[in-house]
Amino acid sequence: MAHRKVYLAVGRTHTRIYRFDPIDGDTRVVENVLPYEAGYTAMGAQYLGDDKEPLLLAVSGNRLITIDVAAGTLKEQVIDGLPEGPWFDGDMDPDGKTLFAVSNPGTPSYAIDVAAGKATSRNAPGGGRWDDFAYHPKNGRLYSVEGDDGDLLLIDPSCQPMKTVLKQGVFPSAQASTAAGSRKAYSATFFDQDGNFYAVDSAGNVNHLDLTTATIPDHSQRIGRGRVPVGNLEIMNGAGRITPLPVPPSYDEITVTKKFNRTWENSEPRGRVYSFDLTLTAIGKDSGTAEDVRKFRISFDLPTDKGAKAEASGVEVIAQDGKAYLDSVGDQFLAAGTSRPITVLITVPGDPARLPQEYPLDGLRATRLPSH
């Protein structure tokens, strides 16, 4: 099971949960989940259904922390047999019943039965600076990344120690955030359902590695020109799995503005159609640098209701799990610093009298796509 977004635990203390979309870099704090002052890590996701938010489970000291992102609740429970840590890597096993958590190199790891509230010791992890691991959706094996030298690691709980180097130097060395005490580690890892592997370091740099086949590429690909936007906070851990999309990820954000035109009632499906002009400008959103754009992606929130859709000329539209992605078709050259409008029609099902006169278009962003 998977969703369009994964979850990041951000902040060594006063830890917050962020939703992160690896395709377009969209990152938002989950406002209804309060910070956890003591901090937690070794986080995994327990999926409850395709149309439901998962439960997140993490470890803080000898306590299991259960985060219900839908309800906005944090619950802590002392776990029988679990030491105080510290804790680093964590993930839920494929059946969603056991949180597997790793501590220091020479100390035992622990499998936590989340229903029984009991921990069982396992083998020691071995040395290095690797701070998260994830189960491959096809072969069920655990993968991680060494922060110091970027080695791709296989974690086998039946071995002592558990760590084996699969291939050296696949990833760039990890970077630390500017937060005090931040580790140069890959602190959040996850897969999509096809076996594409993503690794995020403490500073928010995101790397992708194709592990959909038995052949391991020599080098990962760093995505975009920026980092996951969490300020100077440290990314501590990650959890979840994403549904794959047949589009390349891109975080090179450019300027986009919206102008609402009008709305009208729709009969099939019953609801409203909203017309917007979305104006792209060939200027980096954060850098302010004017650069040519040849290909682009526009993304925004879209209801998951049957019949909801987005339409525009010159783009290919994919809608999935509450997001719409509009990718340009072919070379649509936009000279540095210049702008162009794109008219987008958004169909929202529902009672026209109850739908807003202007669709809010939350999550609107545009990114430059590679042109080669």
Side-chain angles (χ1 to χ4, degrees):
M1 192 173 298
H3 283 181
R4 178 71 265 127
K5 306 173 187 69
V6 293
Y7 301 84
L8 303 175
V10 178
R12 186 170 291 270
T13 58
H14 307 284
T15 306
R16 300 297 305 266
I17 293 294
Y18 285 69
R19 288 188 185 91
F20 172 61
D21 184 340
I23 294 298
D24 65 0
D26 183 15
T27 308
R28 306 183 211 178
V29 66
V30 181
E31 296 287 358
N32 66 329
V33 177
L34 295 176
Y36 187 74
E37 293 188 11
Y40 50 77
T41 184
M43 187 169 70
Q46 184 185 64
Y47 284 96
L48 306 174
D50 287 333
D51 58 346
K52 296 180 180 179
E53 295 272 17
L55 289 178
L56 305 178
L57 299 110
V59 182
S60 181
N62 66 345
R63 299 176 303 280
L64 178 69
I65 313 301
T66 302
I67 305 113
D68 187 328
V69 291
T73 58
L74 281 160
K75 182 179 70 175
E76 58 182 10
Q77 173 189 3
V78 174
I79 297 298
D80 181 25
L82 187 68
E84 286 286 340
W87 303 103
F88 302 102
D89 311 69
D91 202 8
M92 295 295 295
D93 67 354
D95 67 7
K97 296 179 179 180
T98 303
L99 177 65
F100 187 40
V102 163
S103 183
N104 284 321
T107 61
S109 56
Y110 284 84
I112 303 169
D113 183 326
V114 298
K118 184 177 177 61
T120 303
S121 63
R122 307 280 286 273
N123 287 327
R129 200 192 307 259
W130 40 287
D131 281 12
D132 196 22
F133 48 40
Y135 285 97
H136 193 295
K138 302 297 185 182
N139 62 31
R141 303 200 296 178
L142 277 170
Y143 292 81
S144 189
V145 183
E146 166 61 56
D148 288 336
D149 51 27
D151 293 347
L152 179 68
L153 307 178
L154 175 67
I155 312 303
D156 186 345
S158 68
C159 294
Q160 177 77 306
M162 297 189 298
K163 181 191 81 170
T164 300
V165 175
L166 278 181
K167 196 166 189 175
Q168 294 181 331
V170 177
F171 291 77
S173 297
Q175 297 179 359
S177 76
T178 57
S182 178
R183 288 165 58 89
K184 294 181 179 180
Y186 280 96
S187 53
T189 60
F190 44 89
F191 280 93
D192 74 12
Q193 286 180 307
D194 286 346
N196 288 289
F197 184 52
Y198 294 82
V200 186
D201 68 15
S202 303
N205 298 299
V206 185
N207 295 269
H208 164 256
L209 185 69
D210 185 346
L211 292 180
T212 59
T213 68
T215 301
I216 301 173
D218 291 334
H219 298 289
S220 65
Q221 300 296 317
R222 179 155 287 180
I223 302 171
R225 301 183 183 183
R227 297 173 174 175
V228 177
V230 293
N232 63 353
L233 297 173
E234 181 178 5
I235 294 174
M236 299 299 297
N237 220 237
R241 182 179 295 169
I242 64 167
T243 46
L245 280 177
V247 295
S250 174
Y251 307 161
D252 186 7
E253 201 168 353
I254 59 176
T255 302
V256 61
T257 58
K258 67 176 181 178
K259 175 181 174 291
F260 176 61
N261 292 325
R262 64 191 185 97
T263 180
W264 59 91
E265 293 188 12
N266 194 60
S267 58
E268 187 58 43
R270 184 168 181 259
R272 281 190 174 275
V273 178
Y274 299 90
S275 171
F276 287 90
D277 284 338
L278 305 181
T279 299
L280 300 171
T281 303
I283 295 176
K285 181 181 176 183
D286 295 325
S287 67
T289 302
E291 292 185 58
D292 294 348
V293 174
R294 293 186 177 276
K295 295 183 178 181
F296 59 83
R297 170 177 299 134
I298 301 170
S299 55
F300 49 82
D301 293 355
L302 187 71
T304 56
D305 302 334
K306 183 179 180 180
K309 63 180 180 178
E311 302 170 275
S313 60
V315 298
E316 180 180 1
V317 181
I318 295 177
Q320 189 180 90
D321 290 344
K323 289 284 290 286
Y325 307 87
L326 282 61
D327 281 23
S328 59
V329 177
D331 189 330
Q332 299 195 21
F333 180 72
L334 185 60
T338 62
S339 301
R340 60 163 292 188
I342 297 173
T343 300
V344 178
L345 302 181
I346 301 169
T347 300
V348 178
D351 181 351
R354 295 180 178 271
L355 291 172
Q357 286 300 304
E358 180 177 343
Y359 182 67
L361 211 60
D362 291 335
L364 176 64
R365 60 195 288 115
T367 55
R368 184 197 326 267
L369 300 179
S371 57
H372 54 275

